[in-house]
Amino acid sequence: MNAGRATPPGRTIPFDLYTHCGIEEARIGSTYFEAETPLSDGSGNPPEGWDNPIQHGTMSWTSDTEAVFTDEAGHEVKFRARPGASAFKHICA
């Protein structure tokens, strides 16, 4: 595994996505990712149909810097790595 990469492309792992303040970021291994299209209900919560505070599903790598979260409810969120990031952009209380 290359330094800074969470896992090799093509691999899928079980993943609990933190949704409490909407779907904006994910940390996978030591890599921080941001949602290609952030999702919320407009009030800082996950959209209707998402579990809160976490959504169980899987994370699949499509490249060294991109991953896709999916779940049994049919949700799909594409994430892109934030090179050099060492923390989340926003901390949710």
Side-chain angles (χ1 to χ4, degrees):
M1 185 178 330
N2 292 339
R5 186 168 78 195
T7 198
R11 183 164 178 215
T12 299
I13 61 167
F15 193 82
D16 289 333
L17 181 64
Y18 188 68
T19 62
H20 183 63
C21 293
I23 295 97
E24 294 184 18
E25 301 179 85
R27 187 175 118 194
I28 308 164
S30 61
T31 304
Y32 289 86
F33 287 76
E34 61 187 337
E36 191 173 274
T37 304
L39 303 171
S40 81
D41 68 355
S43 298
N45 299 301
E48 187 173 328
W50 287 81
D51 289 338
N52 187 351
I54 60 168
Q55 184 79 31
H56 301 288
T58 60
M59 192 67 79
S60 301
W61 279 258
T62 56
S63 75
D64 286 350
T65 59
E66 296 179 341
V68 178
F69 174 85
T70 56
D71 63 25
E72 291 183 2
H75 300 120
E76 179 178 293
V77 181
K78 294 178 183 179
F79 287 90
R80 294 188 182 189
R82 291 178 38 232
S86 59
F88 290 109
K89 287 179 167 179
H90 308 284
I91 301 297
C92 177

